Amino acid sequence: MARMQASINTYMDTSRHYDVLDFGSFINKGQQHSHRELLNAYDVTITGVDIQAGRNVDIQMPKPYQIPVRANSQDIVLSGSVFEHIPFPFASMLEIARVLRTGGHLFMTVPSRGHHHSTYDPWRYYPDSMRALAAYAELDLLQALTDWPPLQEGSDKRHDYAAIDQKGSYWGDTSAVFRKPKWKPSPRRVVNRYVSLRFANGIGDLSSVPRPKGTLLNRPSDEERAKRVGM
């Protein structure tokens, strides 16, 4: 939330109106905060979209890779802790690029480290991940910052994972800011978007590929976890 607030404060102006899309806006019962509260100081019309209906969702997405808003209609897209759960993130980037107006921004925060969570959790992101997303969606990448673990003593690149602050820094994030440039008409872009989205929406999720046994190495069984918490 702090990283997202920093992007908002840096790239948004309190003197103008913004149409804002909160991509993956659903919040569950255990969550108390949403991106809406980060925009209290700004003049915005905010629309929350998600693949599931529920709290903080204004419009449910009809397909996982189809954002139900018009092209070139949004000044800002927010995406916080969403892209680690998207099986085919390049398809989502194409849709976000479609709905952004020229000069519009995408503010993204996404884990760079942390344990497996939720039904699908296929990715962790670094600055080069953001470069790849920007290149595929034809967006300008203005910023990409990662919470790296501390370096091992005497090394300039090997990380000391054991030295991570387990209370305050167990999770690490990568935050990025993208901007949509002025696009020239491009049949290649139209064809790529059509094929990519049709293919991704045709697959939908990962249910067609069951998780092999032993995929989550070193993950304790339910019985072992119960013993650890004294159940």
Side-chain angles (χ1 to χ4, degrees), residues 4 31 36 40 53 58 72 80 90 95 97 100 105 112 132 134 142 144 150 157 167 188 204 218 230:
M4 185 66 77
Q31 293 176 293
R36 294 175 190 264
N40 287 336
D58 299 302
N72 306 306
F90 291 104
E95 270 291 84
L100 276 174
H105 292 83
S112 59
L142 306 183
K157 61 182 179 181
K167 183 177 181 180
R188 177 184 61 83
N218 301 322

PDB file of all heavy atoms in Angstrom, residues 4 31 36 40 53 58 72 80 90 95 97 100 105 112 132 134 142 144 150 157 167 188 204 218 230:
ATOM      1  N   MET A   4       2.234   1.778  -3.518  1.00  0.00           N
ATOM      2  CA  MET A   4       1.168   2.260  -4.394  1.00  0.00           C
ATOM      3  C   MET A   4       0.869   3.723  -4.111  1.00  0.00           C
ATOM      4  O   MET A   4       0.680   4.531  -5.041  1.00  0.00           O
ATOM      5  CB  MET A   4      -0.085   1.405  -4.220  1.00  0.00           C
ATOM      6  CG  MET A   4      -1.212   1.753  -5.183  1.00  0.00           C
ATOM      7  SD  MET A   4      -0.807   1.408  -6.917  1.00  0.00           S
ATOM      8  CE  MET A   4      -1.009  -0.396  -6.928  1.00  0.00           C
ATOM      9  N   GLN A  31      -9.393  -8.831   4.663  1.00  0.00           N
ATOM     10  CA  GLN A  31      -8.751  -7.587   4.255  1.00  0.00           C
ATOM     11  C   GLN A  31      -9.566  -6.381   4.700  1.00  0.00           C
ATOM     12  O   GLN A  31     -10.794  -6.373   4.592  1.00  0.00           O
ATOM     13  CB  GLN A  31      -8.569  -7.551   2.737  1.00  0.00           C
ATOM     14  CG  GLN A  31      -7.576  -8.583   2.216  1.00  0.00           C
ATOM     15  CD  GLN A  31      -7.515  -8.559   0.700  1.00  0.00           C
ATOM     16  OE1 GLN A  31      -8.477  -8.904   0.020  1.00  0.00           O
ATOM     17  NE2 GLN A  31      -6.377  -8.150   0.170  1.00  0.00           N
ATOM     18  N   ARG A  36      -9.035   2.422  -2.866  1.00  0.00           N
ATOM     19  CA  ARG A  36      -9.892   3.608  -2.862  1.00  0.00           C
ATOM     20  C   ARG A  36      -9.446   4.618  -1.808  1.00  0.00           C
ATOM     21  O   ARG A  36      -9.486   5.833  -2.040  1.00  0.00           O
ATOM     22  CB  ARG A  36     -11.348   3.204  -2.633  1.00  0.00           C
ATOM     23  CG  ARG A  36     -11.942   2.377  -3.774  1.00  0.00           C
ATOM     24  CD  ARG A  36     -13.348   1.884  -3.470  1.00  0.00           C
ATOM     25  NE  ARG A  36     -13.784   0.915  -4.452  1.00  0.00           N
ATOM     26  CZ  ARG A  36     -14.518   1.201  -5.524  1.00  0.00           C
ATOM     27  NH1 ARG A  36     -14.894   2.449  -5.743  1.00  0.00           N
ATOM     28  NH2 ARG A  36     -14.882   0.250  -6.373  1.00  0.00           N
ATOM     29  N   ASN A  40      -8.207   9.363  -1.652  1.00  0.00           N
ATOM     30  CA  ASN A  40      -9.123  10.293  -0.993  1.00  0.00           C
ATOM     31  C   ASN A  40      -8.807  11.753  -1.315  1.00  0.00           C
ATOM     32  O   ASN A  40      -9.706  12.596  -1.336  1.00  0.00           O
ATOM     33  CB  ASN A  40      -9.092  10.077   0.522  1.00  0.00           C
ATOM     34  CG  ASN A  40      -9.801   8.800   0.941  1.00  0.00           C
ATOM     35  OD1 ASN A  40     -10.673   8.302   0.221  1.00  0.00           O
ATOM     36  ND2 ASN A  40      -9.448   8.259   2.097  1.00  0.00           N
ATOM     37  N   ALA A  53     -17.208 -11.635  -8.349  1.00  0.00           N
ATOM     38  CA  ALA A  53     -17.995 -10.575  -7.743  1.00  0.00           C
ATOM     39  C   ALA A  53     -17.758 -10.565  -6.237  1.00  0.00           C
ATOM     40  O   ALA A  53     -17.353 -11.569  -5.650  1.00  0.00           O
ATOM     41  CB  ALA A  53     -19.472 -10.796  -8.045  1.00  0.00           C
ATOM     42  N   ASP A  58     -17.004  -3.433  -8.711  1.00  0.00           N
ATOM     43  CA  ASP A  58     -18.116  -2.752  -9.362  1.00  0.00           C
ATOM     44  C   ASP A  58     -18.615  -3.521 -10.581  1.00  0.00           C
ATOM     45  O   ASP A  58     -19.816  -3.553 -10.843  1.00  0.00           O
ATOM     46  CB  ASP A  58     -17.691  -1.344  -9.792  1.00  0.00           C
ATOM     47  CG  ASP A  58     -17.269  -0.482  -8.612  1.00  0.00           C
ATOM     48  OD1 ASP A  58     -18.093  -0.293  -7.703  1.00  0.00           O
ATOM     49  OD2 ASP A  58     -16.116  -0.012  -8.606  1.00  0.00           O
ATOM     50  N   ASN A  72      -9.323   3.111 -24.416  1.00  0.00           N
ATOM     51  CA  ASN A  72      -8.913   4.516 -24.276  1.00  0.00           C
ATOM     52  C   ASN A  72      -9.834   5.308 -23.349  1.00  0.00           C
ATOM     53  O   ASN A  72     -10.136   6.472 -23.609  1.00  0.00           O
ATOM     54  CB  ASN A  72      -8.869   5.197 -25.652  1.00  0.00           C
ATOM     55  CG  ASN A  72      -8.017   4.449 -26.650  1.00  0.00           C
ATOM     56  OD1 ASN A  72      -6.856   4.167 -26.394  1.00  0.00           O
ATOM     57  ND2 ASN A  72      -8.603   4.094 -27.791  1.00  0.00           N
ATOM     58  N   GLY A  80      -2.621  -4.056  -7.570  1.00  0.00           N
ATOM     59  CA  GLY A  80      -1.828  -4.350  -6.378  1.00  0.00           C
ATOM     60  C   GLY A  80      -1.956  -5.802  -5.968  1.00  0.00           C
ATOM     61  O   GLY A  80      -3.050  -6.282  -5.683  1.00  0.00           O
ATOM     62  N   PHE A  90       0.874 -11.630 -19.802  1.00  0.00           N
ATOM     63  CA  PHE A  90       1.038 -10.818 -21.001  1.00  0.00           C
ATOM     64  C   PHE A  90      -0.325 -10.481 -21.622  1.00  0.00           C
ATOM     65  O   PHE A  90      -0.518  -9.393 -22.165  1.00  0.00           O
ATOM     66  CB  PHE A  90       1.922 -11.536 -22.017  1.00  0.00           C
ATOM     67  CG  PHE A  90       3.364 -11.643 -21.585  1.00  0.00           C
ATOM     68  CD1 PHE A  90       3.877 -12.832 -21.109  1.00  0.00           C
ATOM     69  CD2 PHE A  90       4.191 -10.537 -21.642  1.00  0.00           C
ATOM     70  CE1 PHE A  90       5.193 -12.923 -20.701  1.00  0.00           C
ATOM     71  CE2 PHE A  90       5.520 -10.613 -21.239  1.00  0.00           C
ATOM     72  CZ  PHE A  90       6.021 -11.810 -20.755  1.00  0.00           C
ATOM     73  N   GLU A  95      -4.746  -6.052 -22.406  1.00  0.00           N
ATOM     74  CA  GLU A  95      -6.046  -5.461 -22.091  1.00  0.00           C
ATOM     75  C   GLU A  95      -5.891  -4.142 -21.334  1.00  0.00           C
ATOM     76  O   GLU A  95      -6.606  -3.166 -21.594  1.00  0.00           O
ATOM     77  CB  GLU A  95      -6.885  -6.435 -21.267  1.00  0.00           C
ATOM     78  CG  GLU A  95      -7.752  -7.361 -22.073  1.00  0.00           C
ATOM     79  CD  GLU A  95      -8.887  -6.600 -22.768  1.00  0.00           C
ATOM     80  OE1 GLU A  95      -8.647  -6.052 -23.867  1.00  0.00           O
ATOM     81  OE2 GLU A  95      -9.998  -6.526 -22.230  1.00  0.00           O
ATOM     82  N   ALA A  97      -3.348  -2.111 -21.536  1.00  0.00           N
ATOM     83  CA  ALA A  97      -2.877  -1.134 -22.523  1.00  0.00           C
ATOM     84  C   ALA A  97      -4.030  -0.637 -23.390  1.00  0.00           C
ATOM     85  O   ALA A  97      -4.082   0.543 -23.765  1.00  0.00           O
ATOM     86  CB  ALA A  97      -1.785  -1.755 -23.386  1.00  0.00           C
ATOM     87  N   LEU A 100      -6.222   2.015 -21.389  1.00  0.00           N
ATOM     88  CA  LEU A 100      -5.555   3.258 -21.002  1.00  0.00           C
ATOM     89  C   LEU A 100      -5.656   4.301 -22.113  1.00  0.00           C
ATOM     90  O   LEU A 100      -5.526   3.994 -23.296  1.00  0.00           O
ATOM     91  CB  LEU A 100      -4.084   3.005 -20.690  1.00  0.00           C
ATOM     92  CG  LEU A 100      -3.719   2.510 -19.298  1.00  0.00           C
ATOM     93  CD1 LEU A 100      -2.231   2.177 -19.246  1.00  0.00           C
ATOM     94  CD2 LEU A 100      -4.075   3.541 -18.226  1.00  0.00           C
ATOM     95  N   HIS A 105      -1.404   6.034 -17.039  1.00  0.00           N
ATOM     96  CA  HIS A 105      -0.412   5.282 -16.273  1.00  0.00           C
ATOM     97  C   HIS A 105      -1.003   3.998 -15.676  1.00  0.00           C
ATOM     98  O   HIS A 105      -2.170   3.968 -15.282  1.00  0.00           O
ATOM     99  CB  HIS A 105       0.139   6.120 -15.121  1.00  0.00           C
ATOM    100  CG  HIS A 105       0.964   7.286 -15.551  1.00  0.00           C
ATOM    101  ND1 HIS A 105       0.415   8.482 -15.927  1.00  0.00           N
ATOM    102  CD2 HIS A 105       2.319   7.431 -15.667  1.00  0.00           C
ATOM    103  CE1 HIS A 105       1.378   9.332 -16.249  1.00  0.00           C
ATOM    104  NE2 HIS A 105       2.537   8.722 -16.102  1.00  0.00           N
ATOM    105  N   SER A 112       7.893  -9.927  -5.044  1.00  0.00           N
ATOM    106  CA  SER A 112       9.170 -10.416  -5.551  1.00  0.00           C
ATOM    107  C   SER A 112       9.645 -11.626  -4.750  1.00  0.00           C
ATOM    108  O   SER A 112      10.555 -12.341  -5.175  1.00  0.00           O
ATOM    109  CB  SER A 112      10.231  -9.311  -5.471  1.00  0.00           C
ATOM    110  OG  SER A 112      10.400  -8.856  -4.136  1.00  0.00           O
ATOM    111  N   ALA A 132       9.882  -6.785 -19.576  1.00  0.00           N
ATOM    112  CA  ALA A 132       9.258  -7.723 -20.519  1.00  0.00           C
ATOM    113  C   ALA A 132       7.786  -7.388 -20.723  1.00  0.00           C
ATOM    114  O   ALA A 132       7.276  -7.407 -21.851  1.00  0.00           O
ATOM    115  CB  ALA A 132       9.418  -9.154 -20.008  1.00  0.00           C
ATOM    116  N   ALA A 134       6.369  -4.455 -20.323  1.00  0.00           N
ATOM    117  CA  ALA A 134       6.294  -3.201 -21.054  1.00  0.00           C
ATOM    118  C   ALA A 134       6.553  -3.416 -22.540  1.00  0.00           C
ATOM    119  O   ALA A 134       5.858  -2.847 -23.394  1.00  0.00           O
ATOM    120  CB  ALA A 134       7.289  -2.197 -20.481  1.00  0.00           C
ATOM    121  N   LEU A 142       8.501   3.558 -16.694  1.00  0.00           N
ATOM    122  CA  LEU A 142       9.081   4.732 -16.052  1.00  0.00           C
ATOM    123  C   LEU A 142       9.829   4.394 -14.772  1.00  0.00           C
ATOM    124  O   LEU A 142      10.735   5.129 -14.374  1.00  0.00           O
ATOM    125  CB  LEU A 142       7.983   5.758 -15.737  1.00  0.00           C
ATOM    126  CG  LEU A 142       7.093   6.206 -16.904  1.00  0.00           C
ATOM    127  CD1 LEU A 142       6.114   7.276 -16.423  1.00  0.00           C
ATOM    128  CD2 LEU A 142       7.920   6.711 -18.069  1.00  0.00           C
ATOM    129  N   ALA A 144      10.865   0.877 -11.953  1.00  0.00           N
ATOM    130  CA  ALA A 144      10.770  -0.518 -11.512  1.00  0.00           C
ATOM    131  C   ALA A 144      11.713  -0.696 -10.330  1.00  0.00           C
ATOM    132  O   ALA A 144      12.931  -0.596 -10.478  1.00  0.00           O
ATOM    133  CB  ALA A 144      11.133  -1.477 -12.633  1.00  0.00           C
ATOM    134  N   PRO A 150      18.954  -8.752   1.741  1.00  0.00           N
ATOM    135  CA  PRO A 150      20.310  -8.215   1.941  1.00  0.00           C
ATOM    136  C   PRO A 150      21.349  -9.105   1.262  1.00  0.00           C
ATOM    137  O   PRO A 150      21.132 -10.299   1.064  1.00  0.00           O
ATOM    138  CB  PRO A 150      20.470  -8.219   3.462  1.00  0.00           C
ATOM    139  CG  PRO A 150      19.442  -9.179   3.966  1.00  0.00           C
ATOM    140  CD  PRO A 150      18.306  -9.132   3.012  1.00  0.00           C
ATOM    141  N   LYS A 157      26.432  -9.714  -5.255  1.00  0.00           N
ATOM    142  CA  LYS A 157      25.242 -10.186  -5.951  1.00  0.00           C
ATOM    143  C   LYS A 157      24.513 -11.350  -5.279  1.00  0.00           C
ATOM    144  O   LYS A 157      23.343 -11.595  -5.578  1.00  0.00           O
ATOM    145  CB  LYS A 157      25.584 -10.569  -7.379  1.00  0.00           C
ATOM    146  CG  LYS A 157      26.606 -11.683  -7.520  1.00  0.00           C
ATOM    147  CD  LYS A 157      26.894 -11.953  -9.001  1.00  0.00           C
ATOM    148  CE  LYS A 157      27.942 -13.042  -9.168  1.00  0.00           C
ATOM    149  NZ  LYS A 157      28.243 -13.293 -10.599  1.00  0.00           N
ATOM    150  N   LYS A 167       9.686 -10.436  10.443  1.00  0.00           N
ATOM    151  CA  LYS A 167       8.487  -9.725  10.885  1.00  0.00           C
ATOM    152  C   LYS A 167       8.104  -8.617   9.920  1.00  0.00           C
ATOM    153  O   LYS A 167       6.945  -8.489   9.538  1.00  0.00           O
ATOM    154  CB  LYS A 167       8.695  -9.139  12.286  1.00  0.00           C
ATOM    155  CG  LYS A 167       7.464  -8.435  12.842  1.00  0.00           C
ATOM    156  CD  LYS A 167       7.692  -7.936  14.254  1.00  0.00           C
ATOM    157  CE  LYS A 167       6.444  -7.256  14.803  1.00  0.00           C
ATOM    158  NZ  LYS A 167       6.642  -6.763  16.202  1.00  0.00           N
ATOM    159  N   ARG A 188      -0.332  -5.116 -36.867  1.00  0.00           N
ATOM    160  CA  ARG A 188       0.358  -6.155 -36.094  1.00  0.00           C
ATOM    161  C   ARG A 188      -0.135  -6.185 -34.655  1.00  0.00           C
ATOM    162  O   ARG A 188      -0.352  -7.253 -34.081  1.00  0.00           O
ATOM    163  CB  ARG A 188       1.864  -5.900 -36.117  1.00  0.00           C
ATOM    164  CG  ARG A 188       2.689  -6.889 -35.272  1.00  0.00           C
ATOM    165  CD  ARG A 188       4.165  -6.524 -35.271  1.00  0.00           C
ATOM    166  NE  ARG A 188       4.395  -5.214 -34.700  1.00  0.00           N
ATOM    167  CZ  ARG A 188       4.486  -4.984 -33.397  1.00  0.00           C
ATOM    168  NH1 ARG A 188       4.327  -5.976 -32.533  1.00  0.00           N
ATOM    169  NH2 ARG A 188       4.715  -3.767 -32.939  1.00  0.00           N
ATOM    170  N   GLY A 204      -8.320 -20.136 -20.110  1.00  0.00           N
ATOM    171  CA  GLY A 204      -8.972 -19.669 -18.882  1.00  0.00           C
ATOM    172  C   GLY A 204      -8.087 -19.767 -17.668  1.00  0.00           C
ATOM    173  O   GLY A 204      -7.431 -18.810 -17.283  1.00  0.00           O
ATOM    174  N   ASN A 218       9.134 -29.178   0.182  1.00  0.00           N
ATOM    175  CA  ASN A 218       9.355 -28.773   1.567  1.00  0.00           C
ATOM    176  C   ASN A 218       8.140 -28.115   2.216  1.00  0.00           C
ATOM    177  O   ASN A 218       8.259 -27.498   3.256  1.00  0.00           O
ATOM    178  CB  ASN A 218      10.559 -27.810   1.680  1.00  0.00           C
ATOM    179  CG  ASN A 218      11.828 -28.439   1.168  1.00  0.00           C
ATOM    180  OD1 ASN A 218      12.069 -29.616   1.369  1.00  0.00           O
ATOM    181  ND2 ASN A 218      12.642 -27.640   0.488  1.00  0.00           N
ATOM    182  N   GLY A 230       0.045 -25.931  17.432  1.00  0.00           N
ATOM    183  CA  GLY A 230      -0.506 -26.482  18.642  1.00  0.00           C
ATOM    184  C   GLY A 230      -1.943 -26.903  18.562  1.00  0.00           C
ATOM    185  O   GLY A 230      -2.678 -26.924  19.561  1.00  0.00           O
TER     186      GLY A 230
END
